[in-house]
Amino acid sequence: MSRIDDSKEFIPVRIAVLTVSDTRGLEEDRSGDTLVARLEAAGHSLADRKIIKDERTEIADQLRQWIANPEIDVVISTGGTGLTGRDVTVEAHRDVYEKEIDAFGTVFTMVSFQKIGTSAIQSRATGGVAGGTYLFALPGSTGACKDAWDEILKWQLDYRHRPCNFVEIFPRLDEHKRRK
């Protein structure tokens, strides 16, 4: 289904990676490492990377800092999307969204279902937009990060992808804030 128009020039995107975990440090952050390796292999740049505890306010505050940074186009978080009491990443993301990308979670579930069957029902992956920045919350497993990147984000963050992609509408994400 994914088609690349080779007549168009690739536009690199600046991506921040946030790992949400009460237990992991950078040395053990395999999911964050997976995302960084994939985004760099695709030609994008790592704008920043952090690990934050499963605290809703701290996660939302970090997202807001990155949204306010003009050097960051996309934020991808990993971890904290499950159903347990400490899983608050989705709520933190929704605290900052101006618009939710409802179909992101649906497509992610479809991709996951092909790999892990009905266990895909336990994920609450989400995507949205705030301040002209795309935000995506992925589960904390390396498999989920691979699936989200390889099957969705790799294509939607490539300007050459047809029939449409997220990159081509970057200039219009905050058009409602401009004077007329």
PDB file of all heavy atoms in Angstrom, residues 7-19:
ATOM      1  N   SER A   7      10.350  11.080  -7.455  1.00  0.00           N
ATOM      2  CA  SER A   7      10.591  12.380  -8.089  1.00  0.00           C
ATOM      3  C   SER A   7      10.615  13.507  -7.052  1.00  0.00           C
ATOM      4  O   SER A   7      11.049  14.606  -7.333  1.00  0.00           O
ATOM      5  CB  SER A   7       9.526  12.673  -9.153  1.00  0.00           C
ATOM      6  OG  SER A   7       8.267  12.930  -8.547  1.00  0.00           O
ATOM      7  N   LYS A   8      10.165  13.209  -5.834  1.00  0.00           N
ATOM      8  CA  LYS A   8      10.176  14.209  -4.757  1.00  0.00           C
ATOM      9  C   LYS A   8      11.421  14.015  -3.897  1.00  0.00           C
ATOM     10  O   LYS A   8      11.895  12.898  -3.707  1.00  0.00           O
ATOM     11  CB  LYS A   8       8.921  14.084  -3.896  1.00  0.00           C
ATOM     12  CG  LYS A   8       7.649  14.393  -4.673  1.00  0.00           C
ATOM     13  CD  LYS A   8       6.497  14.527  -3.719  1.00  0.00           C
ATOM     14  CE  LYS A   8       5.241  14.903  -4.455  1.00  0.00           C
ATOM     15  NZ  LYS A   8       5.216  16.277  -4.874  1.00  0.00           N
ATOM     16  N   GLU A   9      11.896  15.116  -3.315  1.00  0.00           N
ATOM     17  CA  GLU A   9      13.075  15.060  -2.461  1.00  0.00           C
ATOM     18  C   GLU A   9      12.675  14.700  -1.026  1.00  0.00           C
ATOM     19  O   GLU A   9      11.672  15.195  -0.514  1.00  0.00           O
ATOM     20  CB  GLU A   9      13.774  16.418  -2.473  1.00  0.00           C
ATOM     21  CG  GLU A   9      15.114  16.413  -1.775  1.00  0.00           C
ATOM     22  CD  GLU A   9      15.858  17.720  -1.952  1.00  0.00           C
ATOM     23  OE1 GLU A   9      15.700  18.366  -3.015  1.00  0.00           O
ATOM     24  OE2 GLU A   9      16.593  18.095  -1.030  1.00  0.00           O
ATOM     25  N   PHE A  10      13.455  13.849  -0.396  1.00  0.00           N
ATOM     26  CA  PHE A  10      13.226  13.473   0.996  1.00  0.00           C
ATOM     27  C   PHE A  10      13.440  14.691   1.894  1.00  0.00           C
ATOM     28  O   PHE A  10      14.376  15.460   1.701  1.00  0.00           O
ATOM     29  CB  PHE A  10      14.190  12.356   1.407  1.00  0.00           C
ATOM     30  CG  PHE A  10      14.052  11.938   2.841  1.00  0.00           C
ATOM     31  CD1 PHE A  10      13.030  11.105   3.238  1.00  0.00           C
ATOM     32  CD2 PHE A  10      14.951  12.395   3.798  1.00  0.00           C
ATOM     33  CE1 PHE A  10      12.896  10.707   4.563  1.00  0.00           C
ATOM     34  CE2 PHE A  10      14.828  12.007   5.124  1.00  0.00           C
ATOM     35  CZ  PHE A  10      13.801  11.160   5.507  1.00  0.00           C
ATOM     36  N   ILE A  11      12.558  14.876   2.881  1.00  0.00           N
ATOM     37  CA  ILE A  11      12.688  15.969   3.852  1.00  0.00           C
ATOM     38  C   ILE A  11      12.891  15.340   5.233  1.00  0.00           C
ATOM     39  O   ILE A  11      11.981  14.701   5.764  1.00  0.00           O
ATOM     40  CB  ILE A  11      11.434  16.865   3.859  1.00  0.00           C
ATOM     41  CG1 ILE A  11      11.242  17.518   2.493  1.00  0.00           C
ATOM     42  CG2 ILE A  11      11.536  17.909   4.964  1.00  0.00           C
ATOM     43  CD1 ILE A  11       9.943  18.287   2.360  1.00  0.00           C
ATOM     44  N   PRO A  12      14.088  15.515   5.826  1.00  0.00           N
ATOM     45  CA  PRO A  12      14.299  14.941   7.161  1.00  0.00           C
ATOM     46  C   PRO A  12      13.464  15.649   8.219  1.00  0.00           C
ATOM     47  O   PRO A  12      13.235  16.856   8.145  1.00  0.00           O
ATOM     48  CB  PRO A  12      15.790  15.152   7.419  1.00  0.00           C
ATOM     49  CG  PRO A  12      16.281  16.085   6.389  1.00  0.00           C
ATOM     50  CD  PRO A  12      15.257  16.179   5.302  1.00  0.00           C
ATOM     51  N   VAL A  13      13.016  14.888   9.187  1.00  0.00           N
ATOM     52  CA  VAL A  13      12.184  15.382  10.273  1.00  0.00           C
ATOM     53  C   VAL A  13      12.992  15.295  11.568  1.00  0.00           C
ATOM     54  O   VAL A  13      13.771  14.354  11.763  1.00  0.00           O
ATOM     55  CB  VAL A  13      10.888  14.539  10.366  1.00  0.00           C
ATOM     56  CG1 VAL A  13      10.047  14.930  11.555  1.00  0.00           C
ATOM     57  CG2 VAL A  13      10.085  14.659   9.080  1.00  0.00           C
ATOM     58  N   ARG A  14      12.802  16.250  12.459  1.00  0.00           N
ATOM     59  CA  ARG A  14      13.506  16.280  13.750  1.00  0.00           C
ATOM     60  C   ARG A  14      12.605  15.663  14.813  1.00  0.00           C
ATOM     61  O   ARG A  14      11.524  16.186  15.091  1.00  0.00           O
ATOM     62  CB  ARG A  14      13.875  17.710  14.100  1.00  0.00           C
ATOM     63  CG  ARG A  14      14.798  18.327  13.027  1.00  0.00           C
ATOM     64  CD  ARG A  14      14.855  19.807  13.122  1.00  0.00           C
ATOM     65  NE  ARG A  14      13.510  20.379  12.926  1.00  0.00           N
ATOM     66  CZ  ARG A  14      13.278  21.666  12.784  1.00  0.00           C
ATOM     67  NH1 ARG A  14      14.257  22.542  12.822  1.00  0.00           N
ATOM     68  NH2 ARG A  14      12.045  22.109  12.607  1.00  0.00           N
ATOM     69  N   ILE A  15      13.063  14.543  15.386  1.00  0.00           N
ATOM     70  CA  ILE A  15      12.222  13.728  16.256  1.00  0.00           C
ATOM     71  C   ILE A  15      12.833  13.605  17.649  1.00  0.00           C
ATOM     72  O   ILE A  15      14.018  13.306  17.795  1.00  0.00           O
ATOM     73  CB  ILE A  15      12.030  12.321  15.645  1.00  0.00           C
ATOM     74  CG1 ILE A  15      11.432  12.437  14.236  1.00  0.00           C
ATOM     75  CG2 ILE A  15      11.172  11.444  16.556  1.00  0.00           C
ATOM     76  CD1 ILE A  15      11.373  11.136  13.466  1.00  0.00           C
ATOM     77  N   ALA A  16      12.008  13.821  18.672  1.00  0.00           N
ATOM     78  CA  ALA A  16      12.403  13.589  20.061  1.00  0.00           C
ATOM     79  C   ALA A  16      11.794  12.267  20.513  1.00  0.00           C
ATOM     80  O   ALA A  16      10.655  11.943  20.169  1.00  0.00           O
ATOM     81  CB  ALA A  16      11.911  14.723  20.954  1.00  0.00           C
ATOM     82  N   VAL A  17      12.567  11.505  21.279  1.00  0.00           N
ATOM     83  CA  VAL A  17      12.117  10.205  21.781  1.00  0.00           C
ATOM     84  C   VAL A  17      12.049  10.266  23.306  1.00  0.00           C
ATOM     85  O   VAL A  17      13.022  10.617  23.972  1.00  0.00           O
ATOM     86  CB  VAL A  17      13.064   9.074  21.329  1.00  0.00           C
ATOM     87  CG1 VAL A  17      12.679   7.749  21.986  1.00  0.00           C
ATOM     88  CG2 VAL A  17      13.050   8.946  19.808  1.00  0.00           C
ATOM     89  N   LEU A  18      10.883   9.927  23.826  1.00  0.00           N
ATOM     90  CA  LEU A  18      10.646   9.918  25.268  1.00  0.00           C
ATOM     91  C   LEU A  18      10.300   8.503  25.723  1.00  0.00           C
ATOM     92  O   LEU A  18       9.333   7.915  25.234  1.00  0.00           O
ATOM     93  CB  LEU A  18       9.483  10.855  25.624  1.00  0.00           C
ATOM     94  CG  LEU A  18       9.074  10.905  27.091  1.00  0.00           C
ATOM     95  CD1 LEU A  18      10.194  11.479  27.942  1.00  0.00           C
ATOM     96  CD2 LEU A  18       7.797  11.710  27.254  1.00  0.00           C
ATOM     97  N   THR A  19      11.083   7.968  26.630  1.00  0.00           N
ATOM     98  CA  THR A  19      10.772   6.670  27.217  1.00  0.00           C
ATOM     99  C   THR A  19      10.152   6.908  28.587  1.00  0.00           C
ATOM    100  O   THR A  19      10.701   7.651  29.396  1.00  0.00           O
ATOM    101  CB  THR A  19      12.033   5.805  27.347  1.00  0.00           C
ATOM    102  OG1 THR A  19      12.566   5.592  26.030  1.00  0.00           O
ATOM    103  CG2 THR A  19      11.728   4.472  27.998  1.00  0.00           C
TER     104      THR A  19
END
